[in-house]
Amino acid sequence: MSSQRLGVLAIYLGNSRLEELSYFQRLSKEGNKIGVQVEVFSPVDVESGNTVRSLTYDHGLRKWIRRRTTMPPVIYDRCRYKAAANYRMLKAFRNRHSKLIFLSRPLANKWAMHQILSESESIRPYLPATVRFSTVQNLVKTLKRHKLIYAKPKNGTGGRGILRIEQLDSDLYLLQGRNEQRTIIAPYKATEKQLMVKLHALKLSSDYVVQQGIRVTLKDGRVHDYRLLIQKNGRGEWEVTGCAGRIGPHRSITSNLHGGGSAVSQTKLLSNRFSSSSKIEAIKKEMNSFAHTLAEFLENKFGKLVELGLDIAIDPSGHVWLLEVNPKPSREVFHKIGESSTYQKAVSRPLEYAMWMLNQSSKNAEERKAERPES
Ligand SMILES: Nc1ncnc2c1ncn2[C@@H]1O[C@H](COP(=O)(O)OP(=O)(O)O)[C@@H](O)[C@H]1O
Ligand SMILES: [Mg+2]
C-alpha cells in the first residue's frame, strides 16, 4: 500500500483527455514500487475547499479511476500552457495553494531567459548571440554578421514558427522554416531585396527572437542537436540523467521529435562528427558540467526546480551552445533510443525527489516544534 501521495498537475486537451497520460501511467507504476501514489488532476478538478477529483491508475484493472481525495501535499506541475488561459489558471492555482510543496516553478520565455542567462559570466560563452526582433533591416544586419540566423517566437514550442535564413553568397540568401502549424514551408532562394519583401510579408513581431544560427547540418543535409536531461535525485542533488541526439527529417530546419525528428544515441551522433574519442569525451564532459552550472544558476534565480531539458547544439569545432531550456521536458527520447535504464531513471527521479522534499519539510516542521519554548 502506498504511503505517500504525489499530485500531478495536467491540462485537459480539447477532447477532455488529459495530456501525457502515458507518462503518468509509467510514473504511477514506478511510484507503486517505492510507495508513492500518483494522483493526476487539473486545476478545474479542484472542488471547493481542499477536495480534488483526481485520477489514480489501477494497475489491476489497467485503467484510470477518478476519486475524490484531499489535496496531495506535493505537486509535480506538468501543464504545458499553450493558451494564455491555461497559464492564468495555473497561476491562480499556485497562488491559492501556495502552502503546498511545488517541485518546480514557471521559468521565462526564450527572450527573458536569454537576458537572465546573459547575466552569468560562466553561462554567457554557451549562449548564441540573441536579439529581439525589431525591424527587417536590423534582422538583415544580424544575418550579414553571422551568415546564418534562426528567428523563433519567444513563446513557441515544438519547432513551431521557426525560420532559418542563411547568406549563401554576397547577394544570395536561403529562407527555410516551419509555420505556426509546424508545416514545413517551401525553401526560398532570394536576393537581399527579395528577401526583405518576403520578411515584411511574414510580419514578424517583437515576440520573435533572432539568434545566431549554429552549423548543425550533417553530411546528408539533415540538422541535428542534443537533448540533455538534468534532474534532482533522491538526495536533493542535481544529476545528469542522460543525453540523446536528435536528427530532423529531410528538409526540416528543426530536430524536434514532434516535428518528425528521430532519436539517436549521443555517442553515435558525436562519432558521426568527431573522430577522436578523447574529443568526444571532452564534449560530453563539458555538456554535463555546463548543465550543472545552468541548473544551479536557474535555481538561484527562480527557486527550487526538479528537472530541466536542455536543447544543445555542438558546432563543427566542438563548441557547446545552449539553444533552449525546457522546464517541463519529456523523456521519450531515451525510450526511443532504447536506453531503458536511463528512461527508467528519468521517470523515477521526480518521485524520489518528491519524497526527499516531503521528508525535508517534515524534518523542518519538527525542528521548528522543538525550537518553540515550552509554554
Ligand atoms: N540558433 C540555432 N542554431 C541551430 N539550430 C537551431 C537554433 N535554434 C533552434 N534550432 C533548431 O530548432 C529547434 C527548435 O528550436 P528551440 O529553440 O528549441 O524552440 P522550440 O521551443 O520550438 O523547441 C532546435 O531543437 C534546433 O533543432
Ligand atoms: Mg526546443
Side-chain angles (χ1 to χ4, degrees):
M1 186 66 206
S2 299
S3 54
Q4 304 283 14
R5 301 162 61 209
L6 173 67
V8 176
L9 265 186
I11 293 242
Y12 286 104
L13 304 169
N15 51 6
S16 80
R17 208 182 140 74
L18 283 167
E19 57 182 351
E20 282 202 309
L21 271 181
S22 61
Y23 170 44
F24 302 153
Q25 192 176 320
R26 183 66 195 252
L27 202 59
S28 176
K29 187 175 155 201
E30 294 302 320
N32 257 7
K33 291 186 197 162
I34 59 169
V36 182
Q37 173 154 289
V38 169
E39 301 175 8
V40 184
F41 63 96
S42 161
V44 297
D45 297 320
V46 180
E47 295 181 339
S48 59
N50 212 21
T51 319
V52 189
R53 294 188 65 245
S54 63
L55 291 169
T56 47
Y57 193 74
D58 187 314
H59 294 275
L61 295 174
R62 294 185 171 194
K63 62 176 187 180
W64 290 97
I65 309 283
R66 196 173 287 281
R67 300 184 303 136
R68 270 202 179 77
T69 60
T70 55
M71 183 68 74
V74 195
I75 303 291
Y76 182 28
D77 175 3
R78 289 296 301 175
C79 300
R80 275 89 181 262
Y81 308 126
K82 292 187 183 95
N86 289 340
Y87 178 75
R88 280 195 295 274
M89 184 166 79
L90 256 299
K91 208 167 162 200
F93 177 87
R94 279 180 178 269
N95 289 342
R96 212 173 311 129
H97 301 279
S98 57
K99 293 260 156 49
L100 298 175
I101 300 171
F102 286 91
L103 295 190
S104 64
R105 23 234 95 231
L107 299 184
N109 66 49
K110 290 182 172 64
W111 173 238
M113 182 60 93
H114 176 79
Q115 288 174 296
I116 291 166
L117 296 178
S118 307
E119 291 169 16
S120 159
E121 248 171 62
S122 44
I123 293 174
R124 225 179 292 139
Y126 296 93
L127 305 178
T130 306
V131 291
R132 204 168 174 170
F133 175 83
S134 53
T135 62
V136 167
Q137 283 77 2
N138 281 340
L139 180 146
V140 171
K141 258 192 218 157
T142 312
L143 171 57
K144 285 182 176 169
R145 182 171 328 128
H146 298 293
K147 310 292 176 218
L148 175 65
I149 56 166
Y150 270 71
K152 37 193 186 184
K154 67 178 187 194
N155 286 316
T157 53
R160 286 183 185 80
I162 299 190
L163 300 175
R164 177 190 195 270
I165 314 174
E166 185 176 2
Q167 181 170 20
L168 301 174
D169 214 329
S170 63
D171 193 26
L172 187 62
Y173 297 86
L174 173 64
L175 171 75
Q176 297 164 281
R178 288 178 183 257
N179 64 18
E180 292 295 332
Q181 285 70 46
R182 208 157 47 197
T183 312
I184 294 180
I185 56 176
Y188 181 64
K189 260 191 193 170
T191 63
E192 181 176 338
K193 222 168 160 185
Q194 290 167 330
L195 177 71
M196 288 182 82
V197 172
K198 182 84 172 177
L199 288 171
H200 276 293
L202 284 170
K203 293 201 175 1
L204 303 180
S205 72
S206 59
D207 282 346
Y208 264 76
V209 296
V210 177
Q211 185 167 78
Q212 165 192 2
I214 310 305
R215 304 238 168 222
V216 289
T217 310
L218 300 169
K219 282 196 196 91
D220 67 2
R222 293 184 295 171
V223 298
H224 78 289
D225 67 1
Y226 298 85
R227 168 53 74 84
L228 182 150
L229 180 65
I230 183 165
Q231 297 178 296
K232 286 283 184 58
N233 62 21
R235 296 182 304 281
E237 297 155 353
W238 286 110
E239 222 177 305
V240 173
T241 307
C243 181
R246 304 182 299 184
I247 302 180
H250 283 288
R251 303 189 327 109
S252 169
I253 56 141
T254 59
S255 67
N256 304 60
L257 299 185
H258 287 295
S262 45
V264 283
S265 96
Q266 179 193 26
T267 309
K268 204 166 156 192
L269 194 50
L270 280 169
S271 316
N272 185 314
R273 277 206 140 186
F274 305 97
S275 49
S276 139
S277 56
S278 60
K279 174 93 178 168
I280 292 172
E281 280 317 303
I283 294 173
K284 281 189 188 170
K285 226 172 139 187
E286 188 172 0
M287 287 168 98
N288 287 358
S289 77
F290 168 65
H292 279 272
T293 307
L294 185 84
E296 273 148 29
F297 178 82
L298 286 179
E299 199 160 42
N300 270 331
K301 283 278 160 195
F302 290 93
K304 281 206 172 305
L305 302 169
V306 55
E307 58 191 357
L308 296 167
L310 311 184
D311 292 345
I312 293 177
I314 309 290
D315 74 14
S317 76
H319 188 104
V320 175
W321 297 97
L322 175 71
L323 300 182
E324 195 199 13
V325 181
N326 296 280
K328 292 171 186 169
S330 69
R331 52 222 79 218
E332 296 314 310
V333 69
F334 303 113
H335 180 64
K336 287 212 160 94
I337 58 173
E339 281 188 17
S340 50
S341 72
T342 309
Y343 180 67
Q344 151 110 20
K345 266 192 232 160
V347 178
S348 55
R349 277 195 174 145
L351 294 160
E352 289 158 4
Y353 176 62
M355 290 310 95
W356 182 83
M357 285 288 273
L358 262 179
N359 275 335
Q360 288 297 106
S361 87
S362 57
K363 253 196 227 157
N364 288 346
E366 273 168 33
E367 272 168 27
R368 275 198 300 276
K369 223 160 126 191
E371 279 165 15
R372 225 174 281 150
E374 301 271 330
S375 54

